[in-house]
Amino acid sequence: MGAFCLAGATLSPGRSSSPRDGLSEEGGVVARGRPMPRPRGATDCYDPVVHDAAPATIRSALPIVPPERTAALIAAIRARLPGLRLLTDPVDRESYRRDETAFLEAGLPGAVALPTTTAEVVELVRLAGAHQVPIVPRGAGTGLSGGAAGIEGGLTIAFTQMKRILEIDPANLTVTVQPGIINADLKAAVAEHGLFYPPDPASYEQCSIGGNLGTNAGGLCCVKYGVTRDAVLGLEVVTADGTVLRLGGKNVKDVAGYALMQLFVGSQGTLGIVTEATLRLRPAPPPKLTMLAFFPSLEAAGAAVSAMTARGLGPATLELMDRATIAAVDDWQQLGLDREAAALLLVESDLPGVAAEAELEAAEAACRAAGASFTLRAADPQEADWLRQGRRLAYRALERLGVAHMEDVGVPRSRIPEMLRAIEAISARHGVPIPTFGHAGDGNLHPTLLFGRDDPTAAERDALVRDELYRAAIALGGTVTGEHGIGLARKDYLEVQRGPEVVAVMRRIKAALDPAGILNPGKMV
Amino acid sequence: MGAFCLAGATLSPGRSSSPRDGLSEEGGVVARGRPMPRPRGATDCYDPVVHDAAPATIRSALPIVPPERTAALIAAIRARLPGLRLLTDPVDRESYRRDETAFLEAGLPGAVALPTTTAEVVELVRLAGAHQVPIVPRGAGTGLSGGAAGIEGGLTIAFTQMKRILEIDPANLTVTVQPGIINADLKAAVAEHGLFYPPDPASYEQCSIGGNLGTNAGGLCCVKYGVTRDAVLGLEVVTADGTVLRLGGKNVKDVAGYALMQLFVGSQGTLGIVTEATLRLRPAPPPKLTMLAFFPSLEAAGAAVSAMTARGLGPATLELMDRATIAAVDDWQQLGLDREAAALLLVESDLPGVAAEAELEAAEAACRAAGASFTLRAADPQEADWLRQGRRLAYRALERLGVAHMEDVGVPRSRIPEMLRAIEAISARHGVPIPTFGHAGDGNLHPTLLFGRDDPTAAERDALVRDELYRAAIALGGTVTGEHGIGLARKDYLEVQRGPEVVAVMRRIKAALDPAGILNPGKMV
């Protein structure tokens, strides 16, 4: 049947759910808490392995800085950087404790610095190193992995005051910015030159480029244009010892030396702090043509995605929302969506001229062949905006229903239906609704756990459900995080996914670049 | 004027050329042997810096292994891996001394192993480590940086026997291969499934995927489809201590941990040895439509490239050949090219249906507006093959004229005309013809130094000319290598381009992953 089902799942607080209550094992792919045996053979091509490590709950491994050390650092910063904005009032600091990750244990920063220049960042890093106070670099605080979570007594460096555009270069299709700039502001500024910066996390109106670089953020248009790392041509990075590295530049191709730039992107401030970035632009594509396709089952929607992939369609957007997400969005935005459908796909084309129409027609044919109950086109750009906005607001719509915890698993594209079935089974087993939406064209899904607002068991059940979600993704050859990052929230699962040998190599690199462990310790590795 | 000019440049051996002979300084951008002062300011966006280091000639920093150590390793390998093909005869080993880099000083390997499994590679790495004999991983030997150059008494591991396709996965658009497979064989195998592996170095009929991964190789279609790194989804890597790492898989998006996969790609076997790769495929595009445009000046050709970039055209091919290259190709292949033109551009579209015609029409309009003297279309796919083959054979055509040394500089796309003028000035100054062709759409050019076959001064003049080419590229914000790699040939210029701070970080990573320096020492960093 495969249709999304919330049977047995309610939002009432504290409901005790017996595992596997009313649920057949069909579709269950999770060996609970146990590593899957690894088949080997001639075509042993990345057969999934769930590595042996089974944390039952998420432990917080954040350090705590002795108060006298923090006080000494604050005094030193004030002496050396008298013009720097430095927040030390507890009320001010409190708003830098967490990012947007649900159920996150985080520390209260001892001080929050808001530098305006790279030179100030260098000085801050050197002083923090000298006083052995760890640093947390922070963008707009919209992260969903706890990467910017505060460290008790630590120094958070927030980049909200370093948000200038330093250069737009239309001849080379590049823009150079400071890290604090908001993604949407960057998009708007380059759009005035007829240019386009593709990466577009759903939070693009709030999130900063620095945060996007830290997590190697994705978004809706990754399926066509790639993720943040694909858009980076140059970086300025301050390392743990206060050295300023200038990496890359404006060259499209450059193989001189190791891929340091690629390594820093996605390292969540644990290897260095980005203070400037040169990003790749494209000429602005024409306005998108937009289509919705509704499906009677998740399988049919998955089959349509596969068919589009196999036909070589390269839509600018290929997004999925399941029944529960459709209902939440429609309840809020009154878009008139088909609430009977098990899933919808949002497909968009930004090809020039008649090619866009041809692409959407091919997509429509693929959806119908896969069993779509019906399809509809946006009549005009405004209607297209509404539909796209509906998808972007999915998480906010779900947040209206309770405490929402958005997850971020990824699987090889062919395994999306299996992952959706696994989510369904996990939801039923734990009595936790898990509406799911995401970037179907990339295999990156956002199952979103919902809990009642006063549910005293929420955090505990959240940990259990996430454990099973992660293991299900890994068992399908997937990842615990497609675009949000390991940060603090998924740290215990890095080794489960990658295996101890791989994580050991990551730790060697961390130790080589930050031997004193001053940069965002307790995160990522 | 800017037209390419071989004035004063001949192939006669030993011609003494007075520097700047008959040459105005106009267009000369090179501060010879001197670092450029670095302007700083509010819009200090990757202003080019030529870092302070001025090797006059290329030194060979390769180690030499004491013969008794090599002998002990050979004995140990024979004992532990009796079935392994191990070449020890000097005649056999001789053909593993060099790759295709001109004027390369390289050592004679003490032994050449041809493993067939990852397990054999692991054993070889462990034994070589135990005997302190350095390892040189080697693909097809077509490299142009000396990355696979032999080490005297060292162990070369050649991957010619590990060339199987392990899996083609049409549902996920991936192929998993051993590293020894030839690029063209991979392309042909996936084409049978209607699939397409984009990266296409000019040597694609000879070069191996392992070598492509080592150098992060490019090719003609990078301008549209990206370089080798962009096509990698998963890797199996043997590290210096014999650990097998499995990185990535089939996920399009995955941000769990550091970008190790991206780091290993392009590291030329100095951080680990790739034993398996999962690569991203695309559905095969339609046959290309092909256009040639001839220009009366290099500036006009450069302007046409800029105009196409700015108009957002995304051709599948955007290649340049200058007058001397056109003549060499036409002499050999009798294609009837316009030998009066200063340059030609080869532009191809692989868009579906009418979109290809529209794209070529827009490209043609851009070329004509930029001053193209005329344009022509391939009448049919066979004629298109001839024209494309003409570009692919450019280097071979130039090799017929003498000792050819192909270089690989890259610049931001807007600076191509300046780089072409700099090449012209350097050519005239040293009396060395430097026909130039390359990937104009990427800013990646292949100035090709020509010397008489018996020129006793060739190696010395080659070093001087290369020094100026590299510094000219760096002064324009460019790179000494766009796609061939640092290897041995450009090792002395890594620091000139990147600066000591950046290279120091690269060396820390090398030390962290290969503390004993067993993997391809003397190369890259």
Side-chain angles (χ1 to χ4, degrees), chain A residues 38 43-44 46 166 172 234-235 246 251 253-256 258 270 278 283 312 413-414 444 477 479 481 483 498 512, chain B residues 38 43-44 46 166 172 234-235 246 251 253-256 258 270 278 283 312 413-414 444 477 479 481 483 498:
Chain A
R38 179 175 183 186
T43 57
D44 173 31
Y46 301 100
L166 301 176
N172 285 304
L235 285 184
R246 287 184 76 86
N251 297 296
K253 287 165 72 182
D254 186 348
V255 297
Y258 297 149
T270 63
T278 294
R413 287 168 284 186
S414 71
N444 182 199
T479 176
T481 177
E483 58 183 12
R498 297 292 189 203
Chain B
R38 180 174 182 188
T43 57
D44 173 30
Y46 301 100
L166 301 176
N172 285 303
L235 285 184
R246 289 183 76 86
N251 297 297
K253 286 164 72 183
D254 187 348
V255 296
Y258 297 149
T270 63
T278 295
R413 286 168 285 185
S414 71
N444 183 200
T479 176
T481 177
E483 58 182 13
R498 296 293 188 202

Side-chain angles (χ1 to χ4, degrees), chain B residues 315 335 461:
Chain B
L335 295 169
R461 289 200 293 156

